[in-house]
Amino acid sequence: MLRASSSSDFLRIIPSLAGFTPRESLVLLPFHATRTTGALRLDLPRHEVELSEYADTAVALVARVERTDAVALVVYTDDEAQSTRDGVVLPFAVEVEVVLGCASDAGLHIVDALCVTLSGWASYLVDEPELEEFDDAPAPRVRGIGDVSGDQWAGADLPDAEFAERERVGRALLRIVDVLDRGDDDLPTARDDPQALAAVLLLDDVPVFFEAVLAMREELPTFATAALLWCLDRPLLRDVALTQWATDILGGVRTLDAQLGFAEDRTAVPDDLGEVFLGRGPRPDPDRLEQALAVVRTASARAPRASRPGPLTAAAWLSWALGRSSHAGRYLDMVGEIDPEYGLAQLLATMIGAAVLPEWAFRRDETAA
């Protein structure tokens, strides 16, 4: 449990609550009594943002968190406070006033409202704000949370992959496609690559294959990577993978049967499976989502450019499911550079642009910070 007895202490624990050190962000912390369990981050309202809509969206997100009755707000900006004859004017003072007014109208008590600049920090709640120096003490470490010194974009870049490895994966994918395109009636020949044949055998039971890749994570062999890329390039199998990784292998089997039934005779997909994709239902195991994210990030890095939209979109959905919409947006931007019309990426971009988050992101854990 993290405790804060002052605004300075409060600022020190925010990176641990958020999982990163925010930059150019508005951070909202939902409270129940004196406890908060996490943080919600939005880009600062720059450019031609409609301020009232921005404030309504921000407060609505906070209010959706279970049992929220109060909120704290922190602006992180590279803009500096301005000194005038009437005193110090903090950046985004007008915008914060609108957000706080909206929160009060929604019945939320205001715990704190702070501004963090490059030069220091101050409170929006005092009549004559003064910049305070930062506390040099390091942010407290929380079990299960690693380094939080990076900003909200930290960790979104794909892992490094050598050109030679991408070439090997590309060739492996071509060999797998060559075997699959021949159909079931053609027997293997001596000219067939045995690794390609082995990879095709993995695809005889797709849910088992999707479960196996979780254990491999970043150590996915070349032909297994190619087989995964082949699957993620097909919407039917990609959706099976995402649902399975968010549930379990039984969920994958059910989703595969449902997808095949829909493709063959338009049989309706069970509601509980569709709800998973929309972020509804039981909260997925975050460790399982993290494993899947590591797999698809590695596959994206090793994939030929034309084969990247599938795994990148999967990375976007998994990041979104983990509550990392900023990372999801970064992966969707990568997809847009390759295929601006990629269907699922467009849908996810619309959801993220509308500040839609998974319902399970608004449920409080049993333990609070």
Side-chain angles (χ1 to χ4, degrees):
M1 179 179 293
L2 302 175
R3 299 182 184 276
S5 59
S6 66
S7 295
S8 178
D9 287 344
F10 183 54
L11 288 177
R12 287 180 54 240
I13 69 174
I14 288 177
S16 295
L17 291 172
F20 52 85
T21 300
R23 283 198 63 192
E24 291 299 305
S25 301
L26 172 71
V27 176
L28 298 160
L29 299 103
F31 276 79
H32 175 60
T34 60
R35 295 188 173 192
T36 183
T37 54
L40 297 167
R41 191 203 73 83
L42 289 82
D43 291 338
L44 289 172
R46 296 188 184 274
H47 309 300
E48 297 180 0
V49 173
E50 176 57 48
L51 187 53
S52 60
E53 293 181 7
Y54 179 93
D56 287 341
T57 298
V59 173
L61 285 171
V62 171
R64 285 185 63 190
V65 180
E66 291 178 341
R67 303 189 302 281
T68 294
D69 53 23
V71 63
L73 172 158
V74 183
V75 166
Y76 290 84
T77 178
D78 292 344
D79 295 357
E80 292 291 359
Q82 300 297 315
S83 296
T84 70
R85 288 182 298 178
D86 297 325
V88 173
V89 178
L90 298 177
F92 296 93
V94 172
E95 291 84 350
V96 166
E97 183 177 0
V98 174
V99 174
L100 293 179
C102 187
S104 295
D105 291 343
L108 299 177
H109 172 67
I110 307 302
V111 175
D112 214 339
L114 305 173
C115 179
V116 177
T117 73
L118 298 177
S119 301
W121 65 273
S123 173
Y124 287 107
L125 300 181
V126 299
D127 293 332
E128 298 182 1
E130 294 183 4
L131 286 180
E132 304 280 349
E133 294 184 358
F134 295 113
D135 188 338
D136 291 334
R141 299 298 296 269
V142 179
R143 182 182 301 175
I145 297 179
D147 181 15
V148 296
S149 60
D151 62 19
Q152 62 267 22
W153 304 113
D157 292 337
L158 295 179
D160 292 333
E162 296 180 355
F163 176 78
E165 176 59 20
R166 294 197 297 273
E167 286 286 297
R168 287 192 290 270
V169 170
R171 288 195 295 269
L173 183 57
L174 290 175
R175 291 169 186 168
I176 289 172
V177 170
D178 180 61
V179 173
L180 290 171
D181 284 351
R182 293 210 314 260
D184 296 333
D185 295 334
D186 291 334
L187 296 175
T189 69
R191 297 176 56 188
D192 289 323
D193 188 320
Q195 293 186 86
L197 294 173
V200 170
L201 288 176
L202 291 174
L203 301 177
D204 279 347
D205 194 331
V206 170
V208 170
F209 173 58
F210 288 154
E211 204 67 20
V213 299
L214 292 184
M216 300 179 195
R217 299 188 68 162
E218 295 93 338
E219 303 302 322
L220 209 61
T222 297
F223 274 83
T225 300
L228 180 61
L229 292 173
W230 184 87
C231 292
L232 296 179
D233 197 36
R234 284 147 181 80
L236 186 153
L237 297 179
R238 178 202 61 211
D239 294 350
V240 171
L242 294 177
T243 305
Q244 177 170 330
W245 292 333
T247 54
D248 53 26
I249 191 170
L250 178 59
V253 171
R254 291 183 60 224
T255 304
L256 179 59
D257 290 343
Q259 293 280 64
L260 292 174
F262 180 81
E264 290 172 4
D265 54 22
R266 297 304 189 209
T267 302
V269 175
D271 290 342
D272 63 314
L273 298 177
E275 296 283 271
V276 171
F277 189 80
L278 296 174
R280 301 168 185 163
R283 183 198 300 268
D285 179 353
D287 290 338
R288 186 174 174 85
L289 294 180
E290 291 280 10
Q291 287 178 313
L293 181 57
V295 168
V296 297
R297 277 170 39 83
T298 299
S300 298
R302 295 175 179 172
R305 188 173 188 273
S307 298
R308 286 188 171 186
L312 283 172
T313 305
W317 187 88
L318 292 164
S319 297
W320 175 80
L322 285 162
R324 302 173 193 161
S325 291
S326 298
H327 284 200
R330 177 67 63 86
Y331 298 131
L332 294 177
D333 287 344
M334 295 180 192
V335 175
E337 293 172 0
I338 301 170
D339 183 357
E341 304 300 320
Y342 196 78
L344 180 56
Q346 290 183 313
L347 173 61
L348 287 174
T350 300
M351 293 168 59
I352 292 171
V356 175
L357 291 173
E359 285 189 0
W360 53 68
F362 298 98
R363 299 177 194 148
R364 291 183 180 273
D365 296 331
E366 294 181 2
T367 58

